[in-house]
Amino acid sequence: MTKATLQRRPLVKQILANADDNLLVIGGLGSSNWDITEAGDRPLNMPMWGGMGAPVGMGLGLALAQPSRRVLVITGDGDMLMSLGSLATVATQQPDNLAICVLDNEKFGETGNQATHTSPRNNGPTDSGAGTDLAMVARGCGIADTGTVREASQVAQLVKDLRAAKGPIFRLVKVMVEKLEFVMPPQDGAHLKDRFRQALLGHP
Ligand SMILES: Cc1ncc(C[n+]2csc(CCOP(=O)(O)OP(=O)(O)O)c2C)c(N)n1
């Protein structure tokens, strides 16, 4: 498989361009949060600081509770691998306002770029060598609209789909391994929760 060429920061900036109050964004811990914050910190972003495996479940709950809003989960492959079962639950619920975008760098980037299960392997002749395909996992869980994005030419459609296509949708985006500066959102979880609720509901 060819090496990934997409860069996560400009990609996320494009995905979140002109985000309005209709868009609720859940950020996966680590690199996805820094990407989302660089695109512009806003009260309707809910970054997971250390809550690995939590974003899709939280996105699902929010999508069901707020059916008139768009909910977008942007997270990493390591995080997604920790909560594969949540994809099956998304499929059973079929929220039409939920989009999930996994930025797959095939690494646990935040903790030092250890290979995740999506990395190709070399375990001998009986091993296919293919890493876990999270888009196929999502499809197998029962999410009908899934896809993988590798090329810049696919990005405009990706953005449209994530922002507006009928959910639930799942997109796997193969991104480069890069060393990027931290761009951190506020670190106080209670503050993040309160400002999110205030912006969404009008009270903390
Ligand atoms: C339950 C749990 N295990 C381990 C960690 C440590 N940890 C923080 S970030 C991270 C890697 C995240 O990898 P991925 O989701 O692929 O993100 P990226 O590569 O984009 O940083 C790990 C293992 C944690 N926060 N919680």
Side-chain angles (χ1 to χ4, degrees), residues 72-87:
L72 173 58
V73 175
I74 300 179
T75 192
D77 47 305
D79 172 70
M80 191 69 254
L81 283 157
M82 191 167 266
S83 58
L84 294 179
S86 60
L87 294 173

Side-chain angles (χ1 to χ4, degrees), residues 19-105:
D20 60 15
D21 285 357
N22 190 53
L23 185 69
L24 313 180
V25 179
I26 308 289
L29 81 174
S31 311
S32 307
N33 274 338
W34 321 149
D35 303 334
I36 289 163
T37 306
E38 199 195 64
D41 184 40
R42 54 196 277 280
L44 291 174
N45 288 355
M46 188 66 204
M48 292 291 115
W49 264 98
M52 197 166 177
V56 172
M58 182 171 274
L60 172 59
L62 200 52
L64 295 175
Q66 296 291 329
S68 64
R69 312 277 182 134
R70 182 75 173 180
V71 178
L72 173 58
V73 175
I74 300 179
T75 192
D77 47 305
D79 172 70
M80 191 69 254
L81 283 157
M82 191 167 266
S83 58
L84 294 179
S86 60
L87 294 173
T89 308
V90 167
T92 62
Q93 295 292 325
Q94 291 294 313
D96 64 7
N97 57 336
L98 178 63
I100 300 165
C101 177
V102 174
L103 302 174
D104 183 4
N105 57 4

Side-chain angles (χ1 to χ4, degrees), residues 116-165:
T116 68
H117 312 59
T118 66
S119 282
R121 302 176 301 264
N122 184 12
N123 287 344
T126 58
D127 185 359
S128 76
T132 300
D133 181 335
L134 289 170
M136 277 176 75
V137 172
R139 182 72 195 88
C141 283
I143 299 176
D145 188 353
T146 67
T148 300
V149 167
R150 298 176 186 278
E151 313 276 345
S153 61
Q154 297 172 282
V155 168
Q157 189 62 48
L158 168 75
V159 173
K160 264 194 208 157
D161 291 346
L162 290 175
R163 294 289 292 267

